[in-house]
């Protein structure tokens, strides 16, 4: 490995160490109470090193939030791809998203702090950057299989994604997040079932038509 390659690898390892330390601190003691000095000490680097990678604490929190959401997206994609059919893929993706955002206490804490740390609009932008394309792909798969009763345009995708995010936030804030997650999953699956296309029932070929009133048999 060249000197340049070793330096790049060291920078990446240092950045990852800072992200992991910050994620633990933000989840444990909160964004407001955590200082850059705390992060530097936990990551065993200098304060200047933290600032080399991140301009301020908000920038650091955004990087942590994005990193954790990207990891979650990978888990969601893996859960979906364990299934061959479009509907089981969508169901598995929704369950995996709720599992990752609600059951994981650290991730749940970061998700709840994000609006105050980054602003609601920035949180929405990040969620849509990482979540909408994947959801759109799943809905397109349903449409291609002719299993969706409506066209999966941007509006439908945003509405479903908004419902998913709201379910995660509401369940995460519940006294019993695990129980609330199951309730949220049931509600989401029920809502999506209403979008499922059911082919019309066909009359058996050998069935006789019943005569209408007044009609001669």
């Amino acid at each position: 490995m060249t000197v340049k390659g070793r330096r790049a690898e060291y920078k990446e390892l240092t950045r990852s160490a800072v992200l992991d330390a910050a994620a633990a601190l933000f989840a444990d003691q909160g964004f407001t109470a955590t200082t850059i000095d705390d992060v530097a000490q936990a990551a065993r680097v200098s304060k200047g090193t933290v600032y080399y990678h991140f301009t301020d604490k908000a920038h650091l929190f955004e990087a942590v939030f994005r990193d954790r959401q990207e990891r979650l997206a990978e888990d969601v994609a893996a859960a979906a791809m364990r299934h061959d059919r479009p509907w089981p893929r969508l169901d598995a993706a929704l369950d995996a998203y709720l599992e990752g955002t609600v059951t994981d206490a650290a991730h749940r804490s970061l998700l709840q702090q994000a609006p105050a740390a980054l602003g609601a609009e920035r949180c929405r932008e990040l969620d849509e950057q990482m979540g909408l394309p994947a959801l759109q792909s799943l809905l397109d798969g349903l449409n291609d299989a002719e299993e969706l009763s409506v066209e999966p345009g941007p509006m439908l995708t945003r509405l479903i994604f908004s419902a998913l995010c709201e379910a995660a936030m509401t369940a995460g804030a519940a006294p019993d997040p695990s129980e609330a997650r199951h309730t949220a999953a049931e509600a989401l699956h029920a809502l999506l079932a209403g979008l499922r296309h059911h082919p019309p029932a066909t009359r058996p070929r050998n069935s006789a038509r019943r005569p209408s009133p007044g009609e001669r048999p």
Side-chain angles (χ1 to χ4, degrees), residues 65-167:
F65 183 74
R66 181 186 289 274
D67 178 68
R68 268 41 186 183
Q69 289 293 83
E70 288 175 347
R71 295 186 190 187
L72 174 61
E74 292 176 358
D75 293 340
V76 169
M81 294 311 295
R82 295 190 188 104
H83 301 271
D84 296 328
R85 299 296 304 162
W87 272 108
R89 280 184 177 178
L90 179 61
D91 288 339
L94 296 183
D95 288 339
Y97 183 86
L98 290 175
E99 176 74 22
T101 55
V102 177
T103 305
D104 185 334
H107 198 133
R108 185 173 71 241
S109 177
L110 292 173
L111 193 67
Q112 292 170 344
Q113 294 181 66
L118 304 176
E121 187 60 31
R122 183 56 180 160
C123 286
R124 179 181 178 183
E125 290 175 358
L126 292 173
D127 280 340
E128 291 185 351
Q129 287 174 14
M130 292 178 281
L132 278 180
L135 179 58
Q136 184 67 61
S137 178
L138 290 170
L139 293 177
D140 288 340
L142 286 169
N143 192 53
D144 292 341
E146 298 183 349
E147 295 186 24
L148 203 60
S149 61
V150 294
E151 189 71 22
M155 178 60 74
L156 177 64
T157 306
R158 286 178 179 274
L159 288 173
I160 295 174
F161 187 72
S162 295
L164 177 60
C165 292
E166 182 63 26

Side-chain angles (χ1 to χ4, degrees), residues 25-26 29-41 57 60:
L25 287 169
F26 287 145
Q29 60 190 39
F31 173 77
T32 302
T34 300
T35 66
I36 294 296
D37 286 321
D38 293 335
V39 175
Q41 183 177 1
K57 191 168 69 169
L60 175 57

Side-chain angles (χ1 to χ4, degrees), residues 102-103 171 174-186:
V102 177
T103 305
D176 186 348
S178 181
E179 178 64 27
R181 177 180 65 83
H182 289 295
T183 303
E186 290 177 357

Side-chain angles (χ1 to χ4, degrees), residues 48-60:
T49 299
V50 178
Y51 279 120
Y52 174 82
H53 291 280
F54 308 99
T55 56
D56 54 27
K57 191 168 69 169
H59 182 208
L60 175 57

